Amino acid sequence: MLKQPEQFTVREKSGVLHADLVSLKEDLDRLAGAVPVIRSGISLGTVRHGKFTPEHDLALSLDLSPDAFPSVELDEADALRFLRKDTLNLTGNGIHLMTSNGAGIGWVNILPGRVNNMLPVNWRIRM
């Protein structure tokens, strides 16, 4: 799902898969031995019951391969609706990357009869 997967090493921490640059692995290991590392690399997602659920970090990453997930390009009005977690009318099935001006802004899970917005609650636009 990453553009250049050979440049990353994947690890699992607390059920979440993370991708760190291979070139920084030695530095991260040394740092982790000295202080607690709260966050590093790209949070890819979780695997539960054989199903992959992507993290919001992955949607925002410039290293996400454009072919990894189906995507929906939103105009400005629909992008604002998505960021407010308002209802969107979309067709398809499964997890889709929402993009605006070619950049990922989040995920939706399209199910029969409804669309689940996977945007983290604290990222929602309230006003």
Side-chain angles (χ1 to χ4, degrees):
M1 67 184 76
L2 298 173
K3 289 179 184 174
Q4 297 174 322
E6 68 281 353
Q7 292 185 358
F8 294 90
T9 180
V10 177
R11 63 181 168 77
E12 184 266 335
K13 181 179 179 183
S14 302
V16 180
L17 297 172
H18 296 271
D20 292 316
L21 284 170
V22 171
S23 60
L24 297 177
K25 184 174 180 0
E26 187 177 306
D27 294 332
L28 287 171
D29 290 343
R30 191 172 331 126
L31 187 61
V35 296
V37 176
I38 296 171
R39 188 178 190 129
S40 69
I42 305 167
S43 297
L44 300 175
T46 58
V47 178
R48 290 189 188 126
H49 309 293
K51 186 177 176 187
F52 180 76
T53 304
E55 289 281 320
H56 188 65
D57 283 3
L58 183 59
L60 302 179
S61 175
L62 298 176
D63 292 308
L64 176 63
S65 174
D67 303 329
F69 294 91
S71 65
V72 176
E73 178 69 23
L74 301 174
D75 60 20
E76 185 177 346
D78 283 337
L80 287 172
R81 262 194 290 287
F82 170 78
L83 293 170
R84 285 188 198 110
K85 294 191 84 158
D86 290 342
T87 304
L88 292 173
N89 294 319
L90 301 172
T91 58
N93 189 25
I95 294 176
H96 286 65
L97 175 66
M98 299 290 100
T99 62
S100 180
N101 296 321
I105 59 173
W107 303 101
V108 296
N109 189 6
I110 303 174
L111 302 169
R114 72 174 200 249
V115 176
N116 290 346
N117 188 329
M118 299 169 66
L119 186 73
V121 175
N122 56 337
W123 282 71
R124 179 182 56 156
I125 294 176
R126 294 181 180 211
M127 300 166 106

